[in-house]
Amino acid sequence: MPEFRLYNTLSRAVEPFAPADGETVRLYTCGPTVYNPAHLGNFRTFLFEDLMRRALRLRGWKVEQVMNLTDVDDKIIKRATEQGKTIIEVTDPIVTIFHEDRKYLRIEDAEHYPRATAYIPEMIALVEKLIANGVAYQAEDGSVYFAIGKFPMYGRLSRLDTREIQSGARVAQDDYSKENAQDFALWKAAKPEDEACGAAWDSPWGRGRPGWHLECSAMAMAILGETLDLHAGGIDLVFPHHEDEIAQSEAATGKPFARCWCHGEFLLTDGAKMAKRVGNVQNVADLRANGVSGAAVRHFVFSTHYRKQLNLAGEALEGSMEAVRRVADFAERLKEAKGGTRALEDAADLLENQVRTALFDDLNAPNAMAALFDFIRAANKELDSGGSDAGALRRAREVFAMVDGVFELVPDRRTADAAFAEWVERQLEDRKAARARRDFAAADAIRKSLEEKGVVIEDTAAGTKWKAR
Ligand code: AMP
Ligand code: ZN
């Protein structure tokens, strides 16, 4: 079996990877901040982590994954204050949407989804340890800060230059830039608005709440132990979030916090990072409305290596919708076939090899998917020739199932078809309205866009009928 290798942000190199105990990979993934439904940029990162856990299992390891839900932070408190709600009233419905959206994209269940607010005692204990170790202090503002000058390894992950490290100066907000590499808040003294929305707890330093970075360190170590095998997230988390997670955890335990750090690149929209701030976000609700299946999104995301930027432009998803239709047709055909050929069996062996080689080489999904489409082409040809080898057919089915167990590209026909039918019906309504107001140009444009999606319509006395090619 080929060696499993991953790019480790700590060393900036692709390195051999194996879990410390040789059996179970302890994986921590920074999850969503639940104040708004996650956008497709967030989901690109969660899909990369889904691919990672499936590839690790393909290698024969078990995976124990934690994905935290950040349900208390600056942004959530701001939202709760604006809406006159408690933080739980803001976060609860968003957690439900997160899991629905995640299932739509066929992202497997992680083993644990801890909420930050359920781990306050662990967070307080961690801060106490840091104070006892002399690397944290309570400042005049009542908040507790991490003293980066007392932790010589500070800046190692993000390769901060010592000139950029300003020890003694303090930064209170959760997210800050490299130019502000200062002592950061572990525990923030409660303000009236924190109390008002239920975001304050008792602590040895008075009422307050945890900083964002502290949440992840406490939950990761509470559930997975002091040294993780793998820690993953989006590339924007390298600094300050992961740098600070390392500082807090290692200064408390004296042990390495994670053996390997993996970061996925951004999803862009027309060239700009997809982000709430930029105002260019799309989410799963938009996909559903446009009849784009989770399978098609998976194809789109896995077509680019996770360490390269991926641009979602105009028609980008349409090619993926077509591609997964091809996979679905093939799956159907393979199910119904009566026998295979020697060449079919050879193609299956080749596919298994190529997929393992590609995925174990720093999760090279684009190469693995290319191998799958080569296989489909070759196998279709063999099935045309109508062989009768039952063993060959069995082998083809087994390897195809294994590969689709990683990518999950066979669309669930019911979900995809229902969403598509809804979209077509809405288009027909719009067309009817356009005709009623004698806007025939608009009506024709709708007919044309339906035709481009393979929908043929027929106007009859009983109304408009349609069928998909
Ligand atoms: P947040 O909910 O903001 O804490 O982000 C959750 C995850 O999504 C983090 O791992 C981020 O790095 C990641 N993320 C945010 N924006 C993007 C983007 N445009 N492309 C890829 N990942 C992103
Ligand atoms: Zn985190």
Side-chain angles (χ1 to χ4, degrees):
M1 193 159 347
E3 187 177 47
F4 200 100
R5 290 152 59 85
L6 284 172
Y7 181 87
N8 186 350
T9 308
L10 263 180
S11 62
R12 304 288 195 274
V14 178
E15 295 176 349
F17 170 84
D21 71 2
E23 228 175 80
T24 305
V25 180
R26 290 182 175 75
L27 166 65
Y28 188 89
T29 47
C30 293
T33 305
V34 282
Y35 72 111
N36 246 333
H39 57 68
L40 295 184
N42 303 132
F43 276 116
R44 182 191 185 192
T45 294
F46 304 146
L47 280 164
F48 134 64
E49 293 158 351
D50 183 59
L51 176 73
M52 174 180 260
R53 57 176 279 137
R54 292 172 190 250
L56 291 164
R57 278 215 313 271
L58 187 64
R59 171 61 183 71
W61 294 313
K62 290 192 221 107
V63 175
E64 187 173 2
Q65 181 189 358
V66 175
M67 177 170 283
N68 70 291
L69 303 170
T70 296
D71 64 351
V72 52
D73 92 325
D74 295 353
K75 287 185 285 211
I76 295 169
I77 291 166
K78 185 160 173 272
R79 177 64 48 91
T81 308
E82 283 163 5
Q83 298 185 344
K85 291 182 177 166
T86 63
I87 54 169
I88 298 170
E89 285 168 345
V90 170
T91 58
D92 260 359
I94 304 294
V95 171
T96 305
I97 293 172
F98 170 67
H99 287 300
E100 281 169 12
D101 288 355
R102 177 175 72 69
K103 294 209 169 99
Y104 191 78
L105 298 176
R106 303 169 162 199
I107 295 174
E108 279 187 342
D109 293 352
E111 283 62 33
H112 311 268
Y113 289 99
R115 282 170 172 246
T117 52
Y119 283 80
I120 301 291
E122 287 79 357
M123 295 172 198
I124 291 175
L126 185 54
V127 177
E128 284 182 313
K129 209 161 175 186
L130 292 170
I131 292 177
N133 290 357
V135 290
Y137 61 93
Q138 187 170 24
E140 316 77 65
D141 62 1
S143 298
V144 181
Y145 291 85
F146 186 95
I148 57 174
K150 301 266 172 65
F151 183 70
M153 303 289 261
Y154 194 81
R156 186 167 147 237
L157 180 72
S158 55
R159 311 238 161 141
L160 269 190
D161 197 83
T162 45
R163 280 170 313 172
E164 291 171 293
I165 298 179
Q166 308 168 42
S167 57
R170 286 195 288 269
V171 52
Q173 77 261 35
D174 280 332
D175 217 353
Y176 53 90
S177 66
K178 283 189 184 183
E179 293 72 53
N180 278 314
Q182 302 171 347
D183 290 0
F184 60 90
L186 297 166
W187 184 264
K188 304 184 185 196
K191 297 195 188 107
E193 59 265 34
D194 301 340
E195 292 286 0
C197 65
W201 290 264
D202 287 326
S203 83
W205 318 284
R207 302 274 295 166
R209 63 177 173 101
W212 169 39
H213 318 298
L214 183 75
E215 298 177 3
C216 281
S217 287
M219 290 186 278
M221 292 197 288
I223 301 170
L224 296 174
E226 291 178 342
T227 299
L228 317 169
D229 290 304
L230 266 177
H231 195 314
I235 190 83
D236 55 335
L237 298 188
V238 173
F239 188 88
H241 187 54
H242 289 163
E243 195 68 65
D244 291 353
E245 281 190 36
I246 292 175
Q248 300 158 153
S249 310
E250 301 193 356
T253 67
K255 295 179 190 153
F257 177 46
R259 299 171 51 240
C260 181
W261 288 85
C262 296
H263 293 97
E265 257 295 349
F266 285 148
L267 178 70
L268 315 178
T269 318
D270 296 325
K273 180 195 171 187
M274 186 180 282
K276 209 62 59 44
R277 273 193 301 277
V278 184
N280 60 353
V281 301
Q282 279 188 53
N283 49 36
V284 172
D286 299 319
L287 296 176
R288 283 182 203 265
N290 290 318
V292 181
S293 66
V297 178
R298 296 178 72 88
H299 177 273
F300 172 67
V301 167
F302 297 150
S303 296
T304 296
H305 191 263
Y306 77 92
R307 284 196 290 117
K308 291 210 176 95
Q309 293 189 334
L310 169 61
N311 196 28
L312 180 62
E315 314 291 286
L317 284 165
E318 301 211 339
S320 291
M321 288 165 76
E322 177 56 36
V324 297
R325 235 170 272 145
R326 272 211 314 278
V327 180
D329 289 345
F330 176 72
E332 198 78 14
R333 204 170 171 207
L334 197 60
K335 199 162 92 196
E336 270 151 28
K338 299 280 179 289
T341 58
R342 259 312 285 278
L344 178 67
E345 185 163 3
D346 291 345
D349 289 341
L350 179 68
L351 174 64
E352 176 167 18
N353 257 317
Q354 288 176 328
V355 166
R356 283 182 192 273
T357 303
L359 290 180
F360 298 174
D361 178 19
D362 193 27
L363 308 178
N364 196 330
N367 280 4
M369 280 208 312
L372 173 63
F373 283 92
D374 286 347
F375 168 75
I376 290 177
R377 217 166 298 123
N380 269 326
K381 215 169 98 208
E382 291 311 309
L383 293 174
D384 286 343
S385 77
S388 57
D389 185 336
L393 181 61
R394 208 176 317 121
R395 174 82 181 129
R397 285 176 175 156
E398 171 191 292
V399 175
F400 179 72
M402 178 203 89
V403 175
D404 199 57
V406 176
F407 294 124
E408 284 219 40
L409 296 182
V410 180
D412 175 345
R413 291 227 174 219
R414 272 164 318 162
T415 335
D417 288 354
F420 188 66
E422 254 176 55
W423 176 79
V424 173
E425 295 292 343
R426 264 201 320 279
Q427 299 299 303
L428 292 179
E429 287 294 314
D430 290 352
R431 178 169 169 267
K432 202 167 139 193
R435 284 162 58 116
R437 63 173 190 270
R438 309 192 66 76
D439 184 352
F440 297 112
D444 281 349
I446 293 172
R447 176 196 278 267
K448 211 156 152 247
S449 88
L450 285 165
E451 274 170 6
E452 277 165 11
K453 291 235 163 66
V455 178
V456 187
I457 59 182
E458 190 195 341
D459 295 309
T460 71
T464 303
K465 289 191 183 142
W466 65 274
K467 65 175 194 291
R469 258 190 276 117

